[in-house]
Amino acid sequence: MRWHWLVAITLAPVALGQSSGTIPRTPEGKPDLSGIWQAFGTANFDIQDHQARNGVPAGQGIVEGDEIPYQPWALAQKVKNFANRATADPETKCDLPGVPRITYSGLPFQIFQAADKLTLLYEYAHANRYIYTNGTPHPRGPIDWWLGDSRGKWEGDTLVVDVVHFNDQTWFDQAGDFHSDQLHLVERYSLLDADHLKYRVTVEDPKVFTRPWNMSLILYRRREKNFQLLEYECYGFDLEKYYP
Amino acid sequence: MGLRTTLKPAIAAAAIIAALSTGTAYAHHAFAAEYDALKPVTLKGTLTKLDWINPHAWLFIDVKDDSGKVTNWAIEFGSPNALLRRGLRRTDFPNGIEVVVNGYRAKNGTPTVNARSVKLPDGRDLFAGSSGTGAPGAPLE
Amino acid sequence: MGSIWKNIIRNWQVQPPALAAIAGLAIAAVPAHAADTPPHIEGFWQAVVEGTYSLTEPSRGGIGLQDALGIPRKHNASRIVDPADGQIPYQPWAREKQRYIEAHINEPTKPEFIDPQARCLPDGPVRATFWSAFQILQFPQYVVIEYESNHPYRIIPLDGRPHLGQNIKLWMGDSRGHWEGNTLVVDVSNNNSKSRLSNVGDFASDKLHIVERYTFSDANHMKYEAVLDDPAVYTRPWKIAADMVRKHVKDPGYEQWEEACHEGERNVADSLNTAAKQESSEK
């Protein structure tokens, strides 16, 4: 057992920060997802393929197969949401964006990985998530949280995270894609190399969709020297005038 | 006036007894800007709606007065997390259940109350107020 | 010897010189310096005297309420330990401003009389320390503090990097930390100071500079000290001190749960409307 630790310790620092080569690992031998990550692209505007519109660049979608299997009533709702998005998008109120939108919001987030949990701190409105990897179950529902409850376990080198206990107040993007409080996600995080984190999420919601569907994207490690999270306290922007 | 005098020691006693901090349930507003500690009220009504939101959950209850007129009252709670940790869920508050609320009336005259306690039909008496803001029942040392 | 291995495992991002020492350990037992190891500070902590209504009367709940109810008011010692009178050493104009705000908090006829905390804006590093329990996460390169109420957080690098440039101001400031024995010393600059230091209107400017000391005397006790320095508002630096205890010692499974705030905040508008009505009815 000790020799395994010694090997892991001697190898890891050599790989760390040198190149995009070897995956960094924890003393327990798991991939270490610690660091500052950011998604690029236009998923926060529209998770499906879209051409440019005012303020929104064109983008290839992150929805696998580019189709979101809405139930008929839900597709009509999405169309309504899209038409009203300038005021109806919860992001205009700086509400917590829900999951997975907070992953591809366009702002960076930092992962701190310990043996019992991963702590994810997002620059967006000081949001945070804990992904417990200590074998604990979800608390009993029903619970309505903006960012759900996350419990993870390792399958090989992939962190598989089960997320439930959502409210129905968030959208997946600015284009009006939405869900109910029955939303159930399974996220998969796997390091392609030290600087690229593949993120794939399976979306299930029997109230809104006819079947599960998937989104996938790549998160990039921010390697600039002394890069750090700043703040985006969006709901405070209009209020700052009261507190000069 | 007489009513207030007899109620005063009872309120004070209740406030001290109820001065249990849930630990993290400090409220986000100055109690006295909205509610009047000299206007305690007890309401018995049926639940019409529950907003299980942070930082304060809200109950809405229909209260019938002696003439039979029904008024819908808004009852402000503490943080839902405090209730979650005590094992409560929003399904414990189905519409139609009868609750008894003790609290303090809003200064603005609307049927709004900051709750100090809420009794459920099964007899459970919850400490539902928010502490740390000047609300009666805030930790006194 | 066992604790040295534990430290190596926990602090796995070892520096190259230590790497050689580890290699050496397999052959010849050369113990690492246990004295360099910071104490284990992970977990939940909370001020013994909670609350942020007032710094000078920390257990005070509200103006006049205890009096109205006939409950004798007991004043706790001021959190301010320097200067000796326990008061914030305001410049005269600043003392006037604080009193002006304090006089109006129960009848907020203007938006500025609403405490930013009521609007769910982040409290700033010092006030957040007293408002709720907080969780400390400890890593070799960082200490992370997660405050339970409204979940603001602070990421405190320990690697000696410089502060942000002065043109970036943050609600929770910019923190840089290092260990001095059992004390975590945190230097906090880049404060936007748009939040207040208490309900009764204590404040600073964006020139505010804070030095915190978290001194861990044993596994469950810590003393928090903060020196606040702001030449635009105070006549001299002043210091807060408070005892903190470890929480949930008997409940190791306790988890920090989501505390959204501004999404569901409904009291501010009502407070302003109530005050406006009262003001017009008094006219």
Side-chain angles (χ1 to χ4, degrees), chain B residues 62-105:
Chain B
D62 272 345
V63 180
K64 201 187 281 191
D65 69 16
D66 294 328
S67 74
K69 177 167 163 246
V70 174
T71 308
N72 193 256
W73 284 72
I75 314 294
E76 184 175 357
F77 259 73
S79 159
N81 275 356
L83 304 172
L84 286 175
R85 291 192 197 275
R86 282 195 227 120
L88 291 162
R89 298 293 183 265
R90 57 173 157 79
T91 41
D92 292 319
F93 300 81
N95 285 351
I97 60 165
E98 200 175 77
V99 294
V100 177
V101 175
N102 285 297
Y104 299 92
R105 277 203 71 161

Side-chain angles (χ1 to χ4, degrees), chain C residues 52-100:
Chain C
T52 67
Y53 198 90
S54 160
L55 286 166
T56 52
E57 294 171 287
S59 75
R60 186 169 151 209
I63 296 169
L65 276 170
Q66 287 98 322
D67 301 329
L69 294 173
I71 296 167
R73 198 196 296 193
K74 185 179 171 184
H75 299 275
N76 271 88
S78 172
R79 292 201 196 279
I80 301 157
V81 296
D82 180 38
D85 67 356
Q87 300 295 316
I88 296 174
Y90 281 117
Q91 296 173 15
W93 73 270
R95 169 64 71 195
E96 219 177 280
K97 178 174 174 181
Q98 181 271 317
R99 288 202 173 127
Y100 173 65

Side-chain angles (χ1 to χ4, degrees), chain B residues 8 11 23-24 26-29 32-34 37 51 53-56 58 76 81 85 107-108 133-134 139-141, chain C residues 46 50 59 61-62 65-66 68-69 74 106 118 131 148-149 254-255 257-261 264 266-267 270-271 274:
Chain B
K8 229 206 247 183
I11 295 165
T24 60
Y26 281 98
H28 297 66
H29 56 102
E34 280 181 271
D51 280 349
I53 56 168
N54 226 53
H56 296 282
W58 289 82
E76 184 175 357
N81 275 356
R85 291 192 197 275
K107 277 179 173 178
N108 63 14
T133 58
L140 309 165
E141 292 204 78
Chain C
Q46 188 161 26
E50 308 169 70
S59 75
L65 276 170
Q66 287 98 322
L69 294 173
K74 185 179 171 184
N106 287 331
W131 191 32
E148 274 203 292
S149 270
Y254 182 87
E255 294 175 351
W257 284 353
E258 180 183 290
E259 289 238 354
C261 191
R266 293 178 183 177
N267 295 101
D270 185 56
S271 299
T274 301

